[in-house]
Amino acid sequence: MERLYRRRIPPHSILTNDLAREMVEVSRDLHRRVGVLVDRAGRIEAVAVGDARRLKVPRQPSAPAGRMRFCTLRFISTRFSDEPLEPEELAPLALHRLDALATVAVGKAGQAGAVRVAHLLPAASGPPGSEPQTKPEVPRVPRGAVMPIRVSRSVVRERAEDLISNGERYRLFPPRPASRVDDDFLELIGALEEEFDRHMARTRVAGKVGRAILLHVTVGNRAAAEASIEELAELAASSDLQVVERVVQRRSSFDARTLMGSGKLQDLIIHALRLGAEFIVVDQNLTHAQGRAIAEATDLKVIDRTQLILDIFARRARTHEGKIQVELAQLKYLLPRLMSRGDSGLSRLEGGIGGRGPGEQKLEVDRRRVRDRISRLEKSLAEERRRREQRRSRRRERAVPVISLVGYTNAGKSTLLNLLTGSDVLVEKKMFATLDPTSRRLRLPRDREVVINDTVGFIRDLPPDLLAAFRATLEEIEDSDLIVHLVDASHSGRAAQIEAVTRILDELEYGEIPKLLVFTKIDRLAPEELDDLRAAHGPDVRFLSAMSGAGIQEFLAVVDARLPEHARADLPPEAISVLPPA
């Protein structure tokens, strides 16, 4: 086995007859499978030993960033049968991003038998909604067709396209003696990389920072799961991710280790590589153990729903207070996940001069620093809360009515605020476009000035740490005389959105404040749909469109009538908090 490390393979060859014979001899003497990892220069990087049936590929670094899609290593192993390669034997091609995989059968007499070679193929389909791509007509090549030596890259591409169009995951070469495995390996892998890059280029969307597969695992209704993953797609778009696939898995119960099950995880990783995806976004909150298990199985970036929302909040926060709140939520999410993963960086010890014992583990130092930072951020947030309370107390002294716009994210709160007050608060068709609260003055029809607050949008299953961090911001709602609950009338899941917002208001103990339910974006509804909506919700609900102006005057009149009779003093600028646009 030590001699295997000294073997060299010509760069253009997948393997040599001498290497195959020597590996078979070692397997025969040990009665175990053996394998070698070979780089593109033909050097043996690692030798692995398994048992008579199984052989694990040694873990190697992932593919370099950029154009390269493979780890520049191929795996050659022995096996005690000459049967076709099984899916679990082919899986390492994607799991380890191998250039190729080759197996050498150990004959009954101990001689080198047939060699089977396989490599990965890119996925045939693009992201959901993409247009089908046309390709030139090429002769159909049977599965496992042999590639001639030093074949041109155009021929490689055409034959790969033919297999891809048939939905194949792998290209399997027919079994051959080791002496007849004469394919030009460098030409083959070069053409394969070009094929992967070409498939990625034709589905890439400008302005997106990464390609992602979305996953929702459910034990309940599939329709609800489809609606949930649709919302996850909107969150991904707000984080500048390009969604290339949506996967809904229905199970009888969640897998405690990987959430989706090891088989589904392996299948998902393979599909992600074929689609050129860098992210797997899970529409559930992963436990510490699940996140660790998935991270050990793949080099892809796996993020859960909370991480995605925190990333969006970090991108959108503009004010000092908003940034504090986001960082605080991120650190509280990170703290319990600071677990040792076996790397040397987290196992170093720190000791002080004159101290006894090995000192403090770096992991504990990291945790202590995070706790200290959390403590400082909470003090800063408390100071911001005191300043807000002072501003609110001045409003109360002047008996200034306060209206708060609340609602699901992307319900149209900022658009309505801009229309009513002539402001220029950022309006964008993205979730959580507004994070920092904005207060403006508004003159109602009865010549009365009020303060109107635009608040951060709500979302179902809002992470508790995030809700706790933004409680200081949401305290603006506490002094409201009226909460205007805005609902996107054109959204198919509006009933679930109303329920989610109501639940969050109850959790914040704002359920007793008077509320006015208002449906927005009615310009997107057909007349009969609007009539049905009016009939379903009764006379106490209002309907408007901030884009067309429909229903605005009626809305203002109702708001004016529902407000208590405060004193009608002029509202000085210092009585409100005018924050810069988010």
Side-chain angles (χ1 to χ4, degrees), residues 60-99:
Q60 292 293 323
S62 61
R67 174 181 169 275
M68 190 73 68
R69 305 305 306 162
F70 298 94
C71 72
T72 71
L73 297 169
R74 59 189 180 275
F75 188 61
I76 305 169
S77 66
T78 60
R79 62 202 297 253
F80 290 96
S81 68
D82 193 19
E83 300 297 324
L85 295 174
E86 298 292 334
E88 57 268 22
E89 294 179 283
L90 294 167
L93 281 169
L95 298 177
H96 299 278
R97 304 189 182 190
L98 297 173
D99 288 355

Side-chain angles (χ1 to χ4, degrees), residues 343-350 358-365:
D343 64 288
S344 58
L346 290 179
S347 60
R348 290 196 299 268
L349 300 177
E350 293 186 2
E360 187 178 21
Q361 289 191 7
K362 187 177 183 302
L363 179 61
E364 291 302 322
V365 173

Side-chain angles (χ1 to χ4, degrees), residues 465-518:
D465 290 336
L466 197 57
L467 185 60
F470 275 79
R471 186 175 290 273
T473 298
L474 296 172
E475 283 177 356
E476 291 286 344
I477 305 174
E478 184 177 358
D479 292 327
S480 300
D481 296 284
L482 178 66
I483 292 177
V484 177
H485 180 181
L486 300 182
V487 182
D488 181 357
S490 63
H491 199 285
S492 59
R494 54 182 177 260
Q497 292 183 353
I498 294 173
E499 182 182 351
V501 172
T502 303
R503 186 184 307 113
I504 293 174
L505 289 174
D506 290 340
E507 290 176 5
L508 294 170
E509 299 180 354
Y510 300 150
E512 300 301 322
I513 300 175
K515 299 177 186 64
L516 174 63
L517 185 64
V518 178

Side-chain angles (χ1 to χ4, degrees), residues 4 7-10 13-28 32 34-36 38 44 76-79 102-107 110-117 176-181:
L4 290 176
R7 280 282 182 186
R8 291 292 296 269
I9 300 175
S13 300
I14 295 177
L15 80 167
T16 62
N17 191 40
D18 290 342
L19 176 64
R21 186 175 62 251
E22 189 165 355
M23 290 179 63
V24 166
E25 289 176 358
V26 173
S27 282
R28 181 194 60 201
R32 294 170 178 265
V34 297
V36 294
V38 186
I44 307 294
I76 305 169
S77 66
T78 60
R79 62 202 297 253
T103 61
V104 184
V106 178
Q111 79 284 6
V115 177
R116 296 178 182 269
V117 179
R176 293 167 287 170
S179 58
R180 293 188 58 190
V181 182

Side-chain angles (χ1 to χ4, degrees), residues 160-237:
E161 278 284 4
D162 188 67
L163 289 171
I164 293 167
S165 65
N166 293 324
E168 298 288 350
R169 284 188 172 186
Y170 310 98
R171 182 166 186 266
L172 305 177
F173 290 73
R176 293 167 287 170
S179 58
R180 293 188 58 190
V181 182
D182 53 4
D183 310 289
D184 190 326
F185 176 70
L186 294 183
E187 190 77 19
L188 174 65
I189 192 63
L192 188 60
E193 286 177 342
E194 288 181 0
E195 188 67 19
F196 268 87
D197 289 340
R198 191 168 66 86
H199 275 261
M200 286 187 64
R202 82 181 179 188
T203 58
R204 186 176 290 116
V205 175
K208 299 300 183 181
V209 298
R211 297 159 62 88
I213 290 180
L214 309 184
L215 172 70
H216 182 96
V217 183
T218 181
V219 294
N221 186 279
R222 188 176 183 87
E226 294 285 356
S228 180
I229 205 169
E230 182 68 29
E231 182 177 272
L232 186 68
E234 294 183 35
L235 289 169

